Amino acid sequence: MRYKISAPHPVNHLIEIEMTVENPSGAEMSFQLPSWRPGRYELGNFARNVQRWNAFDEKGMPLPFRKTGKDLWQVNVNDASAVVIRYNYFAAQLDAGGCWLDENQLYINPVHCMLYVPERMHEACEVSFDLPMSYKLATSMEKLSDHVLKAQDYHELVDSPVIASPTLQHKAFTSGSTIFNIWFQGDCKPDWNRVVEDFKKFSEEQIRTMVDFPVNEYHFLIQILPFRFYHGVEHLKSTVLALGPGSNLMEPALYIDFIGVASHELFHSWNIKTIRPAEMLPYDYTRENYSRLGFVYEGVTTYYGDLFLVRSGVYSVDQFFMEINARLQKHFDNYGRFNLSVADSSFDTWLDGYGPGIPNRKTSIYDEGCLIALMTDILIRTKSKGQASLDEVMRTLYRDFGKRKIGYTESDYLSIVEKLSGESMADFFMDYVYGTEDYEPLLSESLSLAGCQLVKRSSTFDSEKYFGFKTILSEGKTIVKQVAPRITGRYSRTGQGRRNYQCE
Amino acid sequence: MKVSENIQDLLHLFAGEKIILTTYSPLQKMKDISLAPSKQEYFSNYFIRRKEKASPDEQRMFKAWLKNDFYPVG
């Protein structure tokens, strides 16, 4: 599979792509563009950014084609010995998961814009870039030459973002047998000594905990923007972080976010890129890949992203608590916690997982998932009398499933947690992961076992405290942002001794 | 009384009383909203802090969990 990428007119944001498939079999051949990207569990419908699409034979003669799906094209191959698809892609989304083209850089997430032939996804992919010689390429893909890359198969290709630019800043460090690369694109002046020292600390802490790293080379690809921005997307051998404003990179507020998202995305190399729910192994790029395990692949990652930072000394204990406090506050402010469990909210990320959604409907695989991970960790430590923790759970998943390329199920996760706890954890999972039981009592109890307190203080705003609504001020207007639902049945007990809540 | 940026002051001034607000709806209609304070509290603030005194077991758990020695709040 060969792809050629060029950008003759960067100002119009249109990337030109030519895909060549040799030795087509059959009278017709299908070409598919992914409808979503791993890491964001909702449909992206990237085909909407394709402006022009044509098929040719090896001599440049047009081949007939028609669309048979929103992101699926069928080409009449006739007697062609090769099929060449020429199309363009509108690259005007500069975040950690998009594509962008301008006079300063070409940035692609191939999952957005690289077609595949469904029955030939296992074939190696070669990608050549027709760019000025001053452009360097930052990517985890193998470099055949300065501007030619190779991926082992389509899955690796679409898991390998590329930044091509003449202004990349780069440093590398080694931890164990792994080379870590840090690339900055955009206006910023990183304090390289501090950045490398901190990245090395949390990377080594993660590797110590998980025993080894899944790959031997890793790339942090950092897009620096001139305005306030925060986003990260994981890949097996790399991550893209998008942060801003670049002028504030080394200021405490943004630097803490920078380190936090970098640690989070690195842990994804184990948790989701290697340790994968069975329903996503392999990824099906054409449709929703439903899973109720978001509380593991995002929740546990959110928890560990910050935990590794405090364990490695990059964060202070107080800083770690501030990060957890943010999750706690979002959880307790969200009355959707009484309506939809974190497991069901994971399933529904495909519906409304990345926006606020309607009031009080759902929870978050990141926020509630993080708190579930925290409680699971302390419960395992307590029940096992300090002999095990969530660390062992993740190591077991990595050793018994991830390394063997076997997907794990919900029952696999519960079984491992129970085995390491030495006790049943079924009630915990039923009440808090698959149910909507109030987290507060168990959080308070868990934190107490670790020498900490969960402190609850009344809001200082009367609208929040007594009247149940939050407001913000905007352009001289008071805007009601959130209203607490009327809660009935509070603290009434049902047959199983559980509290019964109902939102109206 | 006109409410613009001072709703918190208004609610505080009339704490414990029922308040009628005349509002402007998104459909550009005037609408009266009755606000009555609840005995139940909403939107409390939550945070974690270290205990003032932790038992040896709790201190051990703290260290195993965070790889930092326990030190009391204060």
Side-chain angles (χ1 to χ4, degrees):
Chain A
M1 224 54 72
R2 283 184 288 123
Y3 302 85
K4 185 177 171 186
I5 295 177
S6 58
H9 306 292
V11 71
N12 65 14
H13 297 300
L14 286 165
I15 301 171
E16 301 289 332
I17 303 171
E18 181 181 289
M19 177 192 188
T20 303
V21 184
E22 309 281 355
N23 305 315
S25 58
E28 292 191 322
M29 181 172 266
S30 294
F31 291 84
Q32 175 82 51
L33 197 63
S35 66
W36 69 284
R37 63 168 175 79
R40 193 170 181 97
Y41 305 98
E42 67 175 2
L43 296 181
N45 292 323
F46 308 127
R48 73 179 71 175
N49 294 321
V50 175
Q51 183 195 58
R52 174 174 41 74
W53 200 100
N54 288 294
F56 304 90
D57 67 11
E58 70 282 2
K59 294 172 186 165
M61 299 301 291
L63 293 172
F65 69 91
R66 65 191 171 103
K67 282 190 87 168
T68 55
K70 62 183 167 54
D71 32 37
L72 183 63
W73 291 258
Q74 203 156 42
V75 176
N76 289 347
V77 174
N78 297 330
D79 296 323
S81 62
V83 176
V84 179
I85 309 297
R86 295 194 186 108
Y87 60 106
N88 62 6
Y89 190 88
F90 188 64
Q93 180 187 335
L94 186 46
D95 60 20
C99 296
W100 177 264
L101 172 65
D102 66 12
E103 304 88 331
N104 301 312
Q105 66 167 315
L106 167 63
Y107 160 51
I108 60 167
N109 269 280
V111 71
H112 276 235
C113 59
M114 307 296 246
L115 292 162
Y116 65 97
V117 177
E119 63 274 18
R120 295 176 66 169
M121 294 174 78
H122 60 283
E123 292 184 18
C125 303
E126 187 180 295
V127 188
S128 60
F129 291 82
D130 184 8
L131 293 169
M133 287 312 293
S134 60
Y135 276 52
K136 285 184 181 172
L137 268 55
T139 181
S140 63
M141 269 190 278
E142 180 187 351
K143 283 187 179 138
L144 299 179
S145 66
D146 283 349
H147 286 176
V148 181
L149 305 173
K150 183 184 176 186
Q152 293 301 315
D153 56 23
Y154 185 77
H155 293 292
E156 184 187 351
L157 173 69
V158 294
D159 197 31
S160 307
V162 181
I163 301 176
S165 164
T167 56
L168 283 160
Q169 301 183 65
H170 175 239
K171 295 278 182 190
F173 65 90
T174 303
S175 282
S177 57
T178 305
I179 300 167
F180 289 89
N181 296 273
I182 305 172
W183 302 85
F184 286 99
Q185 169 59 30
D187 291 337
C188 66
K189 290 180 180 171
D191 175 346
W192 277 111
N193 288 337
R194 185 175 177 198
V195 170
V196 169
E197 183 184 354
D198 288 344
F199 273 57
K200 197 167 175 21
K201 280 182 182 172
F202 73 69
S203 301
E204 288 180 344
E205 184 65 34
Q206 295 199 15
I207 295 168
R208 260 196 303 275
T209 300
M210 296 302 287
V211 180
D212 59 42
F213 195 63
V215 294
N216 55 18
E217 188 167 321
Y218 189 86
H219 296 256
F220 294 95
L221 308 175
I222 303 153
Q223 286 281 7
I224 294 294
L225 304 176
F227 43 83
R228 187 175 162 78
F229 205 81
Y230 173 88
H231 190 207
V233 175
E234 71 274 20
H235 303 279
L236 176 62
K237 300 177 181 176
S238 65
T239 178
V240 179
L241 313 177
L243 293 158
S247 55
N248 291 0
L249 179 66
M250 301 309 298
E251 297 296 319
L254 185 57
Y255 189 72
I256 284 167
D257 283 349
F258 171 37
I259 296 293
V261 70
S263 178
H264 174 106
E265 303 305 343
L266 181 64
F267 191 59
H268 269 312
S269 285
W270 289 278
N271 192 19
I272 195 59
K273 302 314 299 188
T274 306
I275 303 165
R276 186 93 56 88
E279 50 270 34
M280 291 192 197
L281 194 65
Y283 293 124
D284 180 344
Y285 302 106
T286 66
R287 60 176 180 82
E288 297 88 343
N289 289 207
Y290 293 108
S291 173
R292 287 190 165 79
L293 283 162
F295 68 93
V296 179
Y297 55 77
E298 287 299 349
V300 168
T301 304
T302 298
Y303 173 63
Y304 270 108
D306 294 328
L307 189 61
F308 285 127
L309 289 168
V310 68
R311 285 179 173 176
S312 61
V314 179
Y315 276 1
S316 66
V317 169
D318 287 342
Q319 183 59 50
F320 173 70
F321 284 172
M322 283 177 67
E323 302 300 323
I324 297 293
N325 289 343
R327 305 286 167 191
L328 282 171
Q329 198 59 51
K330 285 171 78 176
H331 169 73
F332 285 112
D333 281 350
N334 174 19
Y335 285 86
R337 70 185 189 273
F338 297 127
N339 188 58
L340 198 67
S341 72
V342 67
D344 287 338
S345 297
S346 172
F347 193 90
D348 272 1
T349 56
W350 295 94
L351 181 66
D352 64 350
Y354 296 88
I358 64 168
N360 308 313
R361 192 189 90 79
K362 59 173 182 170
T363 46
S364 159
I365 55 176
Y366 296 87
D367 301 325
E368 277 70 23
C370 173
L371 299 178
I372 289 290
L374 186 156
M375 290 190 285
T376 306
D377 193 6
I378 295 180
L379 284 172
I380 296 171
R381 290 173 185 276
T382 306
K383 290 173 184 289
S384 69
K385 297 185 168 51
Q387 297 304 300
S389 69
L390 194 57
D391 296 1
E392 276 76 28
V393 174
M394 299 313 293
R395 279 196 289 269
T396 304
L397 282 170
Y398 180 45
R399 184 190 63 223
D400 295 351
F401 292 87
K403 283 188 165 184
R404 296 179 182 180
K405 301 189 188 307
I406 300 169
Y408 71 100
T409 64
E410 294 168 63
S411 60
D412 290 329
Y413 186 72
L414 174 60
S415 297
I416 294 167
V417 169
E418 289 188 327
K419 187 177 176 187
L420 290 164
S421 302
E423 288 183 27
S424 170
M425 293 279 280
D427 284 349
F428 170 76
F429 275 78
M430 285 304 295
D431 288 348
Y432 300 100
V433 177
Y434 296 99
T436 55
E437 190 73 11
D438 186 1
Y439 286 13
E440 186 177 340
L442 188 59
L443 271 171
S444 186
E445 184 185 336
S446 304
L447 291 165
S448 179
L449 292 166
C452 300
Q453 282 178 291
L454 177 65
V455 181
K456 178 182 180 180
R457 293 235 170 105
S458 298
S459 171
T460 54
F461 297 110
D462 283 15
S463 73
E464 297 179 6
K465 182 178 176 183
Y466 297 120
F467 294 92
F469 65 94
K470 282 176 168 277
T471 62
I472 59 164
L473 292 175
S474 177
E475 297 176 353
K477 293 178 184 171
T478 297
I479 297 172
V480 176
K481 288 300 289 183
Q482 191 182 357
V483 180
R486 194 155 59 88
I487 297 173
T488 60
R490 195 164 178 80
Y491 300 120
S492 66
R493 287 185 177 273
T494 58
Q496 296 300 311
R498 293 181 190 146
R499 290 166 184 173
N500 178 34
Y501 296 92
Q502 184 182 0
C503 293
E504 293 182 346
Chain B
M1 185 181 295
K2 185 183 175 188
V3 180
S4 56
E5 297 182 5
N6 57 342
I7 192 164
Q8 300 299 342
D9 297 335
L10 177 85
L11 295 175
H12 191 69
L13 188 64
F14 296 104
E17 295 180 36
K18 188 172 179 178
I19 299 168
I20 306 291
L21 287 178
T22 302
T23 64
Y24 203 47
S25 81
L27 294 179
Q28 302 187 357
K29 301 277 187 191
M30 303 295 275
K31 186 187 280 187
D32 283 349
I33 294 176
S34 169
L35 298 177
S38 168
K39 290 176 183 171
Q40 182 182 331
E41 286 193 12
Y42 297 93
F43 296 117
S44 298
N45 297 317
Y46 290 82
F47 60 92
I48 302 174
R49 70 177 174 204
R50 298 178 303 280
K51 288 182 179 176
E52 289 179 10
K53 283 185 181 174
S55 70
D57 280 350
E58 290 169 352
Q59 293 189 30
R60 271 192 291 277
M61 172 85 89
F62 183 95
K63 181 159 189 182
W65 175 37
L66 301 180
K67 291 193 179 175
N68 275 255
D69 287 326
F70 178 86
Y71 56 102
V73 68

